[in-house]
Amino acid sequence: MKNILYTLLFGLLSTLNWAQSKESHDQIRSLKIAHISAALNLTNEESEKFWPIFNAYDSKMSSLRHNPIVKYIKYTDIDNISQMNEKEANSKLQELIDYEEEYFSTRQKFIQDVKKILNNKKIILLKKAEDDFNRNLLKKYKEKK
């Protein structure tokens, strides 16, 4: 009985934590959209065409940032990497190369798609707005800790 109670409690806490995390993620996403909208000052026509492309791109980049090779590089100790054999290293390196190629091609395709909607100046402003938003978000996160 005690184990069932602990399991239910753990499940409930996990669900609450996930809900808070999703709510926080949605709030950050809304702030990012507002920041980019203000920076780009899009016309209605530009906005209608831009946001679906941006949302698809942003989702793809988010999934790429959660790629297992990114987590492996980030969280694996240097000693563990030093101890792997050459075959394992070759496999991990190929995963990293594949990731980097997909990341770059996704970014490049996005720019090509957006170039059909926005002028070059607004595309550069978009990159600047994204970088500024990320830098400010990180700064606020550090202040909070």
Side-chain angles (χ1 to χ4, degrees):
M1 182 66 173
K2 220 178 201 182
N3 287 341
I4 293 172
L5 186 59
Y6 284 131
T7 304
L8 289 174
L9 183 61
F10 178 74
L12 178 63
L13 291 175
S14 296
T15 303
L16 289 174
N17 186 34
W18 179 81
Q20 286 177 336
S21 175
K22 178 144 176 53
E23 183 178 300
S24 176
H25 179 72
D26 290 345
Q27 184 180 18
I28 290 169
R29 184 160 168 67
S30 295
L31 291 170
K32 182 178 182 178
I33 289 170
H35 181 79
I36 290 172
S37 294
L40 295 182
N41 194 21
L42 299 172
T43 66
N44 287 338
E45 185 180 325
E46 289 172 333
S47 190
E48 286 176 12
K49 293 176 182 176
F50 171 77
W51 287 112
I53 294 169
F54 180 83
N55 291 334
Y57 159 76
D58 197 43
S59 294
K60 176 71 174 173
M61 294 303 280
S62 179
S63 69
L64 283 172
R65 284 188 290 274
H66 292 92
N67 186 303
I69 191 64
V70 173
K71 291 179 181 179
Y72 177 82
I73 298 294
K74 187 174 182 178
Y75 296 114
T76 303
D77 291 9
I78 290 175
D79 292 338
N80 290 348
I81 295 172
S82 297
Q83 293 175 3
M84 73 171 51
N85 64 41
E86 198 58 30
K87 186 177 179 182
E88 292 170 324
N90 185 50
S91 174
K92 290 295 180 190
L93 182 59
Q94 189 57 53
E95 285 180 50
L96 183 60
I97 290 168
D98 293 345
Y99 162 79
E100 292 289 344
E101 286 175 350
E102 187 172 7
Y103 187 92
F104 176 74
S105 67
T106 300
R107 182 90 183 135
Q108 193 173 35
K109 182 181 180 332
F110 170 70
I111 291 171
Q112 289 169 351
D113 290 346
V114 169
K115 206 169 182 181
K116 297 171 187 169
I117 301 164
L118 304 178
N119 63 38
N120 295 336
K121 183 177 167 182
K122 284 189 177 182
I123 295 171
I124 295 169
L125 281 171
L126 170 62
K127 176 63 175 152
K128 174 74 173 139
E130 284 182 294
D131 289 351
D132 287 351
F133 179 81
N134 291 336
R135 192 174 13 267
N136 289 335
L137 184 64
L138 187 59
K139 182 179 174 185
K140 287 180 182 181
Y141 177 75
K142 285 181 180 179
E143 289 172 358
K144 212 174 188 181
K145 275 190 158 189

